[in-house]
């Protein structure tokens, strides 16, 4: 049901007010949002707002989006009744007969809420916490401030990961999985964007309607660096903008109660490595965490490739942490339901809250931002002999750099300037990685416009002595 | 997203209570529902309940459904908190992990509500009304009792007609049209069942979610004779069971504010003739009533056939009452929106209620049940020279008989016993009708299992002197 | 907090629409409400509407109210959005700054709802029921149509009876009792009007606010003959107009789960005899039904008098059915709460519904309207030797006649024409009755304007041989 | 309706969870609330919680309350579903049949919310703001975090000030004023506690019920130093704990849209001086701010005294800022309604928000905490010749000290140790002040237990040369 809304004009200028009572601002906050200087929030606010308004776009490059709507502007003012936003030259696709789609209106104010909170108010004291714990606490505060932490509900939030440029069969499959999960009362959390981020929400919307679930949750967690390339679709009824990619990932695994991974590209593989690396840490050995990799008939290749890569690099034990289900939405939903039952029992037994997974131990390597410079990419330590979780962390960083080089603005620019990243490591790791990436290219999973794909990396296997 | 729920067992037995406060019954009402004698409601209640539970079935014959679930039973009892239904050997498809789908639970109690109201309570005094007006008033009371009459809302209810066995492309098209209408805040009313009855509701569910419309209306109007073959899908959140097919049709045109017709078969053509015949009556000449016939590219043939037939029989003027839109969901939604604006203005100007179209004049020929016996079919008066609306009424009855002969239990039995219906009339009408029906057979629109289609009719053009 | 709203004008003319979606009417219903002929509802509708608008009035005679507002008129019309009422020369007390008090607006539409239902639609089939059972069924249908029958709630509705012209101390006491009951989550049902009808609702409103109970029920059950003298106060959020006094009483005892009786006059004594007579019937011997008579310190006399009268006429066993609590609101609430627990257990054990007491047997003598003519009053059979419930029924009729002679229009007129009623019976009953009534006069409980009270009855004890 | 709930035990121990979704806490927050050390919140949390639980108490001394419930304890823990509070030896008056009154439960979590926010999270950046503006901004943030800032509503919040130990006639009068204001849709804000803080809310509760206003606001603003002596009554449905008395006062005048002052004592006079001093500042000259002083017949003396004092010290012009209404609740409500209309127009005209009065200029003297030591009291500058607002500020501090000496713990202790405060100033100010205070003593407005009242001050008029 990809519907093209044709409009005679591409741009709309208008002013809008928040639909609910979320937004009353102080003059200082209004100023901060208007402030285009370094310390101000204007640039970030404009960029995220544009992403939100540009929903349904087929551009997957932030740069392209920003270029196309270079004349877009957003101004904020406080009226006697509430805050008001002035939109200038906004994408017409966000409007129907001149009125903004309500879901998009909500998203604009979610952006405002999260940017302001992180930018002006978030300064939480947590005496006795180390840096990692302070980060975890900050993620908690951002989520709670966004009203995403819900007490008095049983574990029911399933995170769906996967590609945003999957094919039609895969997309329909994600809808069916979402449908089956929604039929069982489960809620959906994704990273925003099209494809595997959107399908499960559409499916769950239908089954929630059949189950008369009026408060179904369609949580979208994004961050400023990715949002332009993965605009939230308006079904998302809880949009949260985390400050950076690592906190976004932490939000997924602490807020969500289980994860379903659909086929995707390098980004999806990065996410698999992220959760797997965490679960492999000994402190998490006993923690139940349902993790299903699934796709329709015809897409087995993706998970076979990934599975093979994981077994080759992290070992067979790592593969026990996930379950692969092929072409069976009903089974996926049942596995997930059973897994959430286990999570529920475990949290009860250990007096852990249902709504935020404080227990999950996230090694600092997964929390620290990884800046994908050529230097950092070149110096990744990709050898056997490290603790599992550490190797997983390093592999994730490698993939993270490749995603950046493919679609993120600074990454793309760096590649344009300096040529492909060079990644080196132990042969027994570099070879599987080479195969993994080659397979992604072959499966056309690297970029939406796969015809033009130019690899942004070079794999350099090295003799063991070289790397150690 | 046609999802097959596999279950190890085909049948479920359980007991359920109403989700809301609709149902408190007197002992007399409980008895009436349990009463299997002639005066009782048990047989009707069981049949409609089974239809509701059998949602998603691919059988389009009431007889087949009844045969398959011959061991199904439903018993009702009054407990201290509310009414309770005992289901025995109910179709497993209505359940998820042993729990009935909430939408279906609602439908069961809607069935109960309407059968009881019509069967025990409906006896409305309307002094001064003639029989036709009394019928119109009865339809109003049934709808109001079902809470379908909503004051304080602007005209926004679009009736969607069309086939229940349309192809995938057509089905996807109905979803897109529903999506575009939902995006504009419009609500959907159909006759229940799959295909064109379901698609628009699914589409609107998605766009209502995007517009944060929590109280979107998905009205399904059925009647006992058709419900088994056209089970309501659980998205329908207002199910209404009218006592017979003519009151069901009247409910559509008085409750709905406009009509979109998708491709279908003889039943759909019958519905087109119904509304067209009414609109052609001089008392309705000034009444705005948006009527759009539409389908995707590739399905033009259906409306070309119908349009040709209408022009040949009722004349070109009749064709001015509708608009044909090919492959443009956006345009359909815009046309409908504009049409509803006109309806709104007209009702304001004439002080007519928004919620029930009392003004629409329905000639008695459209209100009286037509019993499709061989005799009645043979004696239909199908000649030119009658008032337009009357010829339309007679043509509708011809098509109604054919639908009965195709899929309705008594009709099918009658055909089995006595062979095809014979329909005769003026050649200039019989020839277009023959072409219309032949074209439906060719387009495989006569029955779900089109391979086996055996025409249930014979067209007999007659010299003018014979018929008059 | 009896607040006098001063207005420069005594009358207001305006038009109002219903606040919710209750009211969409057919043209026939509109006509019926406008129809001032014998078969029409206009007279009744005007009278009840005036009563509802005249809230807070201190007049306790229907005639006085009707005279004062002789120029009042109410017209109804159907607009495109909903029904609209035109009020002409309505009491200004119903308005604040020109806008009608919302509670009163609701009441107007409740009046409309009930009059129409009884007058045009109520014709319920209940095969196999005798006349008494049919009446019980009719009461059920009227209550259910008024949405007063609530499934899925535990017994919690306490009926409060008592005088409408009690003194300040008594009034404050009824507030405290209502407060304590509301604090325990109980809901209140009264007969509308000031005094003991209003106090408990005010008290419960405060405690419901403290308990954050937003859906507290303040049910007022009236009937056309009494409503003008006992206008519902706007706290009543469920107003129900029963067709006559006997159905009103039946509604109290089948809808309510327990009864608290405050001091009152002859009408209150009549109500006590009504419930007591029913409970004394052998079919109700095992039925739990909490019944508390209570008043503040200083008002003991009322219940002492009544208690003495009951023991003298119906025997000590009758007195076991109620409990007298003096000056202890907390205790009243606790007794009632315990009693409702018993009711709950009993209904569970016997599979009786929580929401309507079908089990309670009401002898026909309590269901039949008693017309208080001089002849009927004179021929009441007031002797020992009858079954308890029958003597109670006859005593109730005697008191009913006296109430009519005191405040109801036809009764007052009959007394004006023919002088006081004569009531005769066995001395051992007539003497206690004489004492009871004399005591009411002495306690100034016969009429609001007690100074002018002229007894409307004469008690004639008779030798046993005379009466039998 | 002051209801004494008798319980066999005075103390209750139990555990409770929040009723809504307000409270999910991080482990750091839980620790902070448990931390009894200097930096922790335990002591404050225990004290405020006890105050909230001790509602309806007649003790007006914090010390007495703390002594009586010395064995009270409150512990907090995070369970899997939400936060849980353990109460040990809590006042039994907060419970009904062992269950805590819901309003009180809400209050406990409001306390928790505000203490935590101020104690751990509140660190708002407001670049460019001076100290006074930063304070105003902090007040805004606390109120917004408590969800007290509501956009999209017109000015309707009336602050009611006045004594907590007024007599019955005055108390009933405050109810009537609240009733009349509620009837006009106005909402109530007070400082918590009994008397004039409670009556208007009770009155408005009744009229809101009549107007079917389900979301009526009963805002109670307190602070740790006063809450024990002025427990919020459970009708308060928005309890806010400000960090100190000055921010509490600022919250009143920026959140509220108008003020009604009932009779009170020195504290009430202090509040009058507070708002008057602010309004007298030239920056506020054009700002509409409805201010009504009112009481029942018989209480004229209070406002006469105050009015005389104001005219004597601040001049007749000051008296133009308020209106005195005697014994006319209807008039008070009308004056307030008109005043709010003006406020609305003014804010629209000046683009000021409806929900927070940023425009109101509050001189720093009114924002800075005044510590009522003997030294500070002695050095107050009470002479003519100062700007009006400054003299008002100084006079307010004088009264503030007296209130502290009367009822606040540190003040009372200081008086016990060092004897009465000495207040000196220009005779033409000291004499009116002496009369004012003497009149309060005479009117028994200084303390609940007026019999024992020992003045905590000495007035020392001084020659002009001495003080300047």
């Amino acid at each position: 049901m990809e519907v093209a809304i044709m409009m005679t004009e591409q741009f709309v200028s208008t002013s809008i007010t928040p639909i609910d009572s979320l937004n009353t601002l102080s003059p200082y906050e209004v100023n901060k949002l208007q402030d285009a200087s370094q310390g101000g929030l204007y640039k970030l606010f404009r960029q995220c707002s544009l992403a939100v308004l540009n929903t349904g776009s087929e551009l997957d490059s932030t740069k392209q989006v920003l270029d196309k709507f270079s004349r877009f502007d957003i101004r904020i003012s406080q009226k006697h009744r509430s805050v008001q936003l002035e939109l200038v030259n906004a994408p017409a696709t966000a409007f129907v007969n001149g009125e903004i789609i309500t879901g998009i209106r909500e998203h604009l104010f979610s952006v405002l809420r999260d940017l302001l909170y992180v930018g002006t108010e978030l300064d939480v004291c947590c005496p006795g916490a180390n840096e990692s714990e302070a980060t975890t606490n900050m993620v908690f505060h951002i989520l709670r401030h966004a009203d995403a932490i819900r007490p008095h509900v049983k574990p029911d939030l399933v995170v769906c990961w996967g590609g945003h440029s999957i094919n039609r069969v895969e997309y329909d499959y994600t809808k069916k999985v979402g449908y089956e999960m929604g039929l069982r009362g489960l809620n959906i959390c994704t990273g925003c964007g099209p494809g595997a981020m959107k399908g499960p929400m559409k499916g769950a919307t239908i089954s929630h309607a059949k189950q008369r679930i009026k408060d179904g949750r369609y949580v979208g967690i994004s961050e400023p660096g990715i949002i332009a390339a993965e605009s939230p679709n308006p079904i998302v009824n809880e949009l949260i903008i985390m400050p950076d990619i690592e906190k976004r990932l932490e939000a997924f695994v602490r807020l969500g109660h289980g994860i379903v991974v659909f086929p995707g590209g390098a980004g999806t593989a990065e996410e698999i490595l992220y959760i797997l690396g965490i679960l492999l840490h000994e402190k998490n050995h006993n923690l139940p965490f349902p993790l299903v990799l699934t796709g329709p008939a015809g897409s087995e290749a993706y998970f076979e490739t990934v599975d093979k890569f994981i077994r080759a690099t992290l070992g067979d034990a790592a593969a026990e942490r996930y379950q692969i289900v092929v072409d069976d939405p009903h089974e996926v939903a049942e596995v997930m339901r059973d897994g959430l039952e286990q999570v529920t029992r475990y949290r009860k037994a250990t007096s852990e809250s249902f709504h935020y997974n404080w227990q999950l131990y996230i090694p600092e390597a997964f929390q620290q931002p990884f800046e994908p410079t050529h230097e950092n990419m070149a110096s990744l330590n990709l050898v056997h002999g490290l603790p599992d979780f550490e190797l997983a962390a390093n592999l994730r960083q490698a993939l993270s750099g490749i995603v950046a080089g493919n679609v993120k603005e600074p990454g793309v620019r760096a590649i344009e300037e300096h040529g492909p990243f060079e990644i080196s490591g132990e042969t027994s790791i570099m070879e599987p990685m080479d195969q993994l990436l080659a397979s992604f290219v072959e499966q056309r999973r690297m970029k939406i416009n796969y015809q033009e794909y130019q690899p942004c990396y070079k794999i350099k296997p090295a003799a063991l002595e070289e790397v150690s």
Side-chain angles (χ1 to χ4, degrees), chain A residues 225-410:
Chain A
I226 196 68
I227 191 168
E230 300 193 345
S231 281
N233 84 76
I235 294 178
V236 167
N237 60 10
E238 296 183 46
L239 175 64
I240 303 155
I241 314 292
M242 299 302 292
D244 57 48
I245 189 157
E246 283 73 20
K247 292 196 187 60
R248 180 194 189 214
L249 285 168
E250 184 159 350
F252 279 131
V253 298
R254 294 207 192 271
L255 189 65
H257 303 103
I259 299 180
V260 170
V261 188
F262 295 105
T268 301
E270 178 195 349
E271 291 170 327
I272 294 172
L273 283 167
Y274 175 80
I275 181 62
L276 215 52
I278 290 170
L279 295 179
L280 289 176
H281 194 281
E282 59 180 354
K283 291 193 180 171
N284 298 322
H285 270 186
N286 296 318
L287 216 64
F289 202 109
L291 177 60
V292 174
L293 318 185
T294 191
S299 300
E300 298 88 343
Y302 182 77
F303 291 116
E304 280 167 13
T305 313
V306 168
D307 185 54
K308 206 171 135 196
F309 172 68
I310 288 166
R311 289 177 190 273
T313 52
L314 299 170
D316 288 349
E320 279 171 27
R321 269 301 201 164
Y322 54 80
Q323 184 171 346
I324 296 181
V325 175
V326 177
D327 202 30
D328 192 343
H330 181 268
E331 175 69 8
V332 174
E334 287 293 313
V335 168
M336 198 46 63
R337 207 178 59 94
D338 290 348
L340 297 183
E341 287 288 334
Q342 278 184 56
V343 168
T344 304
R345 278 194 299 274
Y346 187 82
R347 297 214 185 165
K348 275 185 187 169
T350 57
S351 271
E352 174 59 288
S353 81
F354 283 169
H355 43 267
Y356 193 71
N357 196 351
W358 294 97
Q359 290 176 330
L360 188 73
Y361 179 75
I362 303 186
E364 262 197 88
F366 290 98
Q367 288 185 314
Q368 285 167 356
F370 173 73
E371 209 186 334
T373 61
H374 282 68
E375 192 183 343
N376 287 343
M377 289 294 279
S379 61
L380 287 168
N381 188 14
L382 301 171
V383 298
H384 283 294
L386 301 171
D388 285 351
F389 79 88
E390 206 174 319
L391 177 55
N394 297 347
L395 290 170
R396 177 185 90 82
Q397 291 176 339
L399 287 167
S400 179
I402 291 170
V403 171
N406 282 347
V407 298
K408 292 192 181 174
E409 210 189 342

Side-chain angles (χ1 to χ4, degrees), chain A residues 20-33:
Chain A
D20 60 13
S21 64
L22 268 181
N23 290 284
T24 53
L25 300 186
S26 74
Y28 308 101
E29 292 171 324
V30 170
N31 288 345
K32 185 108 182 183
L33 287 164

Side-chain angles (χ1 to χ4, degrees), chain A residues 2-9 55 92-97 101 104:
Chain A
E2 263 33 57
V3 181
I5 303 180
M6 267 153 283
M7 309 269 295
T8 46
E9 304 152 15
T55 185
T93 46
F95 299 81
V96 178
N97 294 126
I101 292 172
I104 296 178

Side-chain angles (χ1 to χ4, degrees), chain A residues 174-185:
Chain A
T174 67
K175 291 209 285 188
K176 286 176 194 167
V177 170
Y179 175 85
E180 288 291 335
M181 295 201 295
L183 213 50
R184 283 153 185 82

Side-chain angles (χ1 to χ4, degrees), chain A residues 15-25 33 45 49 52 74-77 82-87 100 102-116 145 239 241:
Chain A
S15 65
I16 57 171
T17 51
I19 201 169
D20 60 13
S21 64
L22 268 181
N23 290 284
T24 53
L25 300 186
L33 287 164
F45 181 45
S49 297
V52 155
I74 184 165
R75 310 304 296 170
I76 187 166
S77 59
S82 71
V83 157
Q84 189 173 297
L85 297 179
E86 299 287 332
L87 304 180
I100 194 164
T102 305
I104 296 178
R105 177 154 64 153
E106 274 186 27
H107 290 178
L108 284 176
F109 288 95
S110 298
V111 164
L112 188 154
R113 176 200 64 209
D114 291 339
L115 295 189
L116 267 184
H145 183 261
L239 175 64
I241 314 292

Side-chain angles (χ1 to χ4, degrees), chain A residues 55-106:
Chain A
T55 185
S57 152
E58 298 295 315
L59 306 171
D60 70 348
S61 140
T62 300
K63 198 167 162 302
Q64 283 177 284
V65 172
L66 292 178
D67 285 355
K68 180 167 175 199
F69 295 101
S70 61
R71 290 170 52 227
F72 168 72
D73 196 10
I74 184 165
R75 310 304 296 170
I76 187 166
S77 59
Q78 175 79 42
K79 296 285 166 181
H80 50 266
R81 286 185 176 277
S82 71
V83 157
Q84 189 173 297
L85 297 179
E86 299 287 332
L87 304 180
V88 181
N89 295 316
T93 46
F95 299 81
V96 178
N97 294 126
E99 284 207 58
I100 194 164
I101 292 172
T102 305
I104 296 178
R105 177 154 64 153
E106 274 186 27

